[in-house]
Structures are given as structure tokens and as C-alpha cells.
């Protein structure tokens, strides 16, 4: 048998025929370069230059097309555009912008040594851009009912909210304020630790763009003991978030008006794999043993401010105090809003180490 190295012929000749000037390959093709050069020299045809570089390997994910295909075909992800996937379609559906991906590539550059680049660098690129470009809105992911007992039942105020403090040209919007509100469950503790500055019994906090409120009573479910409602009192003199007598509060909470809010589904995405190097497994184990069982949390009873009614698929917002969110381009509709978390406001995970080289 005469077995001809068909790839080695195809690679260099197709590059030559197509007029390629620089053929950029990954490091495993470095050994093929002498043959690449020899064929073109012997045939005396246009000779591109082959250049090798290291693959881009991201932490907490996997870049192998074969392994990504396994995740899709075996149902570990919903498809190639699942927002947890490191594919361009997956990043797009999660809310990453072309500009943030290009900036990430500029920052990491091109290397000759194989290494793992931490996902935090990519997340920081999209955070920096979205901070400058996205409208701020208020959304409550895990609602806790708040009743302001001294606020008139039939009164509704339109309060002015800033769309983006980084860009004054984006202007302001009106948000409704009423007697019954929703705040985040995490923003209340019945027995707060020393450095907890949010709402607690007898404590006063500021509602963003609104008033100071003080928690006076806590209503619990009689069967489960779960806190289901807070009864609070507001100070009418503190409209806009300031106090005429100069008193200060340490906590500022976001909120939505219960009678005006829209319900939405919010999908909270995290790393696809628990380990920085997804292929780091014990002997006999499969890389899928490192899959993160908490890579997706779906919240179905979130409350968003009324200005988000009819938010177009592909729109991006900052949910104040929570993170950056993208209106899903596949599942969101006028009847059912679906938001994908692109990235949190800040990374609360342990600081990554230096790039891993191998």
C-alpha cells in the first residue's frame, strides 16, 4: 500500500490556490511545517507562511468540539447556543457583545505555550462595556412583600430614576411607587449579623429613588414559619432618598411596586464545570464528572418594573444591585419575558491564580 498524506497536500495547496499569505495553525501542526514548505517549494507555487500558536483554553469550560458535541447529544446542555457553552452562539445568547469578545482577545494576545486563561478575564471585559452602555432597571428575583402601613392605599407616585449614571445622555425614566412593594428576600434578616446593613426589625433603610422606611412588624406563615410579609412605615420627608434632618442610613434597597410589576423568568448561569481545568479528573473518571450541577438556576416568579413590558429579545439591561441581563432571543415573548444573566455585577468567587501552563 502507498498511503499518501492527503491532509498535508490539501493544507498547503489549498492555501496556495486561495492566495493565503499567512496560514495560522495550532501547535500540533508545527511538525507538519517542513512538509508544508517542501511541497510548495518543489511545485514552485505561491508560498504562504505557516505560523503556529497555542490554543485558547478557558477555565471552567471545555473547548474540544468532540466533547462539546457529546454534551449536546447527551442532553447536558440544550444545544450549541446554550448560554453556558463557549461557542459564539452560546456567548451571544448569554448576552456577550462582539466588542467585549474582541477586547478579551486583545488582552490575552497570542502565545506559543499552552495555558488556561481564567474566565474572569472575559467576564470583566463584558462587565466594563455593559456598565457604560446598558440601561439600569429594577427587578426583584426572589420577592418578599412589603406593606407601607402609613402610605395611602389608593395613592401612586411616579418617581424619577436614572437610566445610566455613566451616561447622562440616556436620561431618566418614571417608576411607580405604591403602598405594597416587593423587595429581595435576601435584603431582610430577622436577626442580622453585625455587618448586615439592610432591612431588619426596627431598622431604617433607603428605598432607591424613593423614601426611608422602617420595619415595624414581621408576618410569618403559620405552618412553615417563613417570613411572607413585612409591615413598614415610611418618612414622607425623605422622598428622593435624602433626609432633611441629616440622618443617615447605611442600606439602600431596590424594589418594585406590586400592582405595577410584571412577572418574568430569570435564568442564572454559572460555570459549566466546577474545576478550573475541566479535564482534571481522577483515574478512570470522565470529564463529565466535573460538570457543575448548579450551572443553571431558573427563577419563574421574578418581578420587574413596568418599563420592561415588551422588552425586545436581544435587549440588555443592568438589574440594579444584581447584574447584567439579556432578553433571551429564543424563549422570551411579549407574554412571557425571559432574561438570561450575562454576568453578575462583580465576581464574588475566590480570586483566580495565574494562568496554568502545560
Amino acid at each position: 500500500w502507498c498511503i499518501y498524506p492527503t491532509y498535508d497536500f490539501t493544507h498547503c495547496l489549498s492555501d496556495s490556490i486561495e492566495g493565503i499569505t499567512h496560514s495560522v495553525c495550532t501547535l500540533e501542526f508545527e511538525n507538519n511545517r517542513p512538509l508544508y514548505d517542501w511541497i510548495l517549494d518543489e511545485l514552485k507555487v505561491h508560498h504562504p507562511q505557516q505560523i503556529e500558536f497555542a490554543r485558547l483554553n478557558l477555565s471552567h469550560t471545555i473547548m474540544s468540539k468532540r466533547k462539546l458535541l457529546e454534551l449536546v447529544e447527551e442532553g447536558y446542555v440544550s444545544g450549541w447556543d446554550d448560554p453556558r457553552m463557549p461557542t459564539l452562539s452560546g456567548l451571544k445568547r448569554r448576552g456577550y457583545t462582539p466588542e467585549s469578545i474582541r477586547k478579551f482577545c486583545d488582552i490575552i494576545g497570542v502565545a506559543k505555550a499552552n495555558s488556561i486563561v481564567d474566565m474572569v478575564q472575559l467576564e470583566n471585559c463584558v462587565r466594563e462595556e455593559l456598565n457604560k452602555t446598558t440601561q439600569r432597571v429594577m427587578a426583584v428575583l426572589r420577592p418578599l412583600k412589603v406593606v407601607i402601613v402609613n402610605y395611602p392605599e389608593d395613592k401612586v407616585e411616579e418617581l424619577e430614576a436614572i437610566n445610566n449614571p455613566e451616561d447622562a445622555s440616556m436620561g431618566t425614566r418614571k417608576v411607580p411607587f405604591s403602598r405594597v412593594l416587593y423587595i429581595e428576600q435576601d435584603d431582610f434578616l430577622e436577626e442580622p449579623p453585625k455587618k448586615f446593613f439592610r432591612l431588619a426589625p426596627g431598622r431604617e433603610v433607603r428605598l432607591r429613588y424613593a423614601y426611608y422606611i422602617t420595619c415595624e412588624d414581621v408576618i410569618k406563615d403559620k405552618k412553615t414559619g417563613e417570613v411572607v410579609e413585612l409591615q413598614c412605615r415610611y418618612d414622607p420627608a425623605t422622598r428622593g432618598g435624602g433626609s432633611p434632618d441629616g440622618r443617615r442610613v447605611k442600606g439602600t434597597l431596590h424594589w418594585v411596586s406590586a400592582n405595577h410589576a410584571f412577572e418574568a423568568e430569570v435564568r442564572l448561569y454559572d460555570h459549566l464545570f466546577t474545576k478550573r481545568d475541566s479535564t482534571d479528573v481522577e483515574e478512570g473518571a470522565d470529564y463529565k464528572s466535573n460538570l457543575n450541577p448548579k450551572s443553571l438556576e431558573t427563577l419563574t416568579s421574578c418581578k420587574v418594573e413596568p418599563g420592561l413590558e415588551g422588552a425586545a429579545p436581544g435587549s440588555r439591561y443592568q438589574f440594579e444591585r444584581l447584574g447584567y441581563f439579556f432578553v433571551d432571543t429564543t424563549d422570551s415573548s411579549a407574554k412571557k419575558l425571559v432574561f438570561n444573566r450575562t454576568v453578575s455585577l462583580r465576581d464574588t468567587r475566590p480570586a483566580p491564580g495565574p494562568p496554568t501552563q502545560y
Side-chain angles (χ1 to χ4, degrees), residues 67-352:
K67 292 178 179 177
L68 290 174
L69 179 61
E70 286 181 8
L71 298 182
V72 172
E73 291 183 337
E74 295 175 20
Y76 290 100
V77 293
S78 61
W80 288 98
D81 67 345
D82 186 299
R84 293 166 290 182
M85 292 280 275
T87 58
L88 286 177
S89 59
L91 291 171
K92 180 180 179 181
R93 189 174 172 192
R94 186 154 173 174
Y96 278 82
T97 62
E99 294 80 8
S100 63
I101 296 172
R102 287 197 292 266
K103 181 172 183 180
F104 169 69
C105 293
D106 288 341
I107 289 173
I108 63 172
V110 177
K112 291 287 285 186
N114 283 316
S115 62
I116 297 177
V117 178
D118 204 283
M119 183 70 79
V120 169
Q121 293 192 55
L122 177 58
E123 292 174 345
N124 285 340
C125 289
V126 77
R127 273 194 194 98
E128 184 177 337
E129 185 193 346
L130 295 181
N131 180 53
K132 298 175 183 176
T133 60
T134 55
Q135 178 182 328
R136 274 56 169 169
V137 296
M138 290 193 287
V140 176
L141 305 190
R142 299 172 178 87
L144 174 59
K145 185 178 180 180
V146 172
V147 178
I148 303 177
V149 294
N150 63 328
Y151 194 89
E153 290 190 24
D154 56 352
K155 184 178 180 179
V156 177
E157 293 181 77
E158 294 286 329
L159 304 179
E160 189 171 49
I162 298 171
N163 284 333
N164 189 333
E166 301 289 327
D167 184 356
S169 68
M170 293 183 69
T172 61
R173 68 190 188 283
K174 297 292 185 180
V175 291
F177 182 86
S178 62
R179 187 173 191 263
V180 182
L181 311 171
Y182 290 119
I183 65 169
E184 293 285 351
Q185 293 176 10
D186 291 346
D187 281 338
F188 173 81
L189 281 180
E190 202 168 4
E191 298 179 4
K194 186 175 181 179
K195 293 189 177 181
F196 184 86
F197 301 121
R198 287 164 279 170
L199 200 56
R203 178 177 294 177
E204 187 174 52
V205 298
R206 176 190 296 106
L207 295 180
R208 182 84 160 137
Y209 308 117
Y211 297 96
Y212 289 8
I213 63 168
T214 303
C215 179
E216 293 190 335
D217 198 8
V218 179
I219 310 300
K220 298 182 180 181
D221 184 292
K222 293 181 180 179
K223 293 182 179 179
T224 65
E226 178 186 3
V227 176
V228 295
E229 180 182 313
L230 303 178
Q231 294 192 345
C232 300
R233 184 172 295 273
Y234 89 116
D235 181 350
T238 59
R239 176 170 170 153
S243 171
D245 61 10
R247 73 182 188 276
R248 297 178 178 271
V249 294
K250 292 185 177 180
T252 299
L253 312 184
H254 64 278
W255 53 273
V256 294
S257 170
N259 290 335
H260 302 87
F262 283 86
E263 193 160 276
E265 178 178 308
V266 174
R267 298 168 182 174
L268 304 177
Y269 292 99
D270 201 350
H271 291 328
L272 186 56
F273 289 86
T274 56
K275 286 191 175 182
R276 175 181 169 83
D277 181 356
S278 58
T279 62
D280 179 16
V281 295
E282 296 180 3
E283 186 175 352
D286 183 72
Y287 74 95
K288 291 191 285 289
S289 64
N290 287 333
L291 281 167
N292 181 6
K294 298 180 180 179
S295 62
L296 170 59
E297 181 182 6
T298 302
L299 305 176
T300 57
S301 300
C302 306
K303 305 293 183 180
V304 300
E305 67 173 67
L308 287 173
E309 180 185 11
S315 301
R316 297 178 175 87
Y317 299 93
Q318 185 198 101
F319 288 2
E320 295 207 33
R321 301 178 61 232
L322 298 174
Y324 298 97
F325 291 78
F326 181 75
V327 184
D328 189 73
T329 50
T330 300
D331 298 329
S332 191
S333 67
K335 294 183 178 179
K336 180 187 177 184
L337 289 173
V338 178
F339 293 90
N340 299 330
R341 183 173 66 186
T342 304
V343 67
S344 58
L345 278 185
R346 58 188 61 84
D347 186 28
T348 57
R349 308 182 192 98

